Amino acid sequence: ILNVEQSPQSLHVQEGDSTNFTCSFPSSNFYALHWYRWETAKSPEALFVMTLNGDEKKKGRISATLNTKEGYSYLYIKGSQPEDSATYLCASHLIQGAQKLVFGQGTRLTINP
Amino acid sequence: ETGVTQTPRHLVMGMTNKKSLKCEQHLGHNAMYWYKQSAKKPLELMFVYSLEERVENNSVPSRFSPECPNSSHLFLHLHTLQPEDSALYLCASSLQGPPSTDTQYFGPGTRLTVL
């Protein structure tokens, strides 16, 4: 069974501060990791897909790192803005057949003006 | 707005009703997915279609019946549901299906309430 865990479950951050949160996954059988951003009443939006140990991806003020040997990925947001308020999901593929994405429960981020 | 649309956005139905959820993707993708999100649980994969063939059925009860008439459309037919089936149902598509790791693009979901 593949479990993907995210922490914290929720987070309140002051506007302008930087923040980060974690996605943990089993390091054996790793194939790929996806990050999504999900605003209320909208569609989840793909942020990154990462496959290699040591990968770093960046999109504007958001960046992510990947450590496949220890089984974790960090998502960083620099200089948080109110529009960053959303739930951030990570999801991992199994290596055998990579048949499906297994999602974590998400980190709900609220930016306080 | 994403290239994946879902209708209806909200649905209330009784346990004896039959209804269908519709998903359409305008991205030219070859794979489509149904996910379920129950309260306080992660997204759970229900079904995967690749090139209009079902390639994954994740132990879903038979009261949920998917249909993929072509690569752009996906339906989820619902009959004799239970109140615990109340959830958000999300559709997604990707360029290639399993075993690729292509990004999945999601629709906004249908909020289903079963009375």
Side-chain angles (χ1 to χ4, degrees):
Chain A
I1 297 175
L2 176 65
N3 289 320
V4 176
E5 304 285 344
Q6 290 188 248
S7 62
Q9 287 192 11
S10 65
L11 190 57
H12 290 255
V13 174
Q14 205 62 32
E15 182 178 354
D17 288 351
S18 296
T19 188
N20 65 84
F21 29 91
T22 307
C23 173
S24 301
F25 52 87
S27 56
S28 59
N29 300 331
F30 174 79
Y31 198 41
L33 189 88
H34 299 252
W35 279 101
Y36 285 86
R37 179 173 175 274
W38 194 3
E39 289 183 70
T40 303
K42 294 189 177 180
S43 308
E45 173 197 354
L47 289 174
F48 308 113
V49 55
M50 309 172 79
T51 55
L52 298 176
N53 185 45
D55 250 356
E56 289 190 34
K57 294 279 178 86
K58 189 174 180 182
K59 186 176 182 178
R61 293 179 291 98
I62 304 176
S63 61
T65 60
L66 180 66
N67 184 323
T68 61
K69 295 187 178 180
E70 295 182 36
Y72 64 84
S73 174
Y74 291 137
L75 191 82
Y76 299 91
I77 301 178
K78 186 177 177 182
S80 303
Q81 299 297 309
E83 59 265 29
D84 296 328
S85 296
T87 296
Y88 291 83
L89 300 175
C90 74
S92 182
H93 273 110
L94 277 172
I95 197 168
Q96 290 180 345
Q99 289 294 328
K100 62 182 181 182
L101 275 179
V102 177
F103 280 83
Q105 280 193 288
T107 293
R108 184 173 182 86
L109 177 65
T110 304
I111 307 301
N112 301 317
Chain B
E1 184 69 319
T2 68
V4 181
T5 58
Q6 290 186 242
T7 54
R9 294 291 305 272
H10 300 271
L11 178 63
V12 178
M13 60 187 288
M15 289 190 285
T16 57
N17 291 158
K18 289 184 181 181
K19 297 286 184 184
S20 296
L21 309 185
K22 179 183 175 183
C23 175
E24 184 173 0
Q25 58 96 0
H26 313 273
L27 300 169
H29 288 169
N30 294 311
M32 296 187 78
Y33 309 77
W34 278 117
Y35 285 88
K36 174 184 178 182
Q37 189 185 40
S38 304
K40 303 206 185 283
K41 287 189 175 181
L43 280 170
E44 299 174 80
L45 180 68
M46 299 175 73
F47 302 104
V48 182
Y49 276 82
S50 182
L51 296 172
E52 298 146 48
E53 292 209 9
R54 191 190 310 182
V55 297
E56 175 95 14
N57 178 345
N58 205 30
S59 302
V60 179
S62 60
R63 57 185 184 270
F64 295 91
S65 175
E67 179 191 2
C68 188
N70 56 62
S71 60
S72 298
H73 293 87
L74 184 66
F75 295 89
L76 188 63
H77 303 299
L78 316 171
H79 63 98
T80 59
L81 294 192
Q82 304 298 310
E84 59 264 29
D85 296 321
S86 299
L88 181 69
Y89 291 85
L90 285 162
C91 172
S93 71
S94 63
L95 183 60
Q96 300 299 326
S100 88
T101 59
D102 286 349
T103 296
Q104 293 182 22
Y105 294 84
F106 284 84
T110 295
R111 174 69 63 186
L112 174 68
T113 303
V114 182
L115 301 177

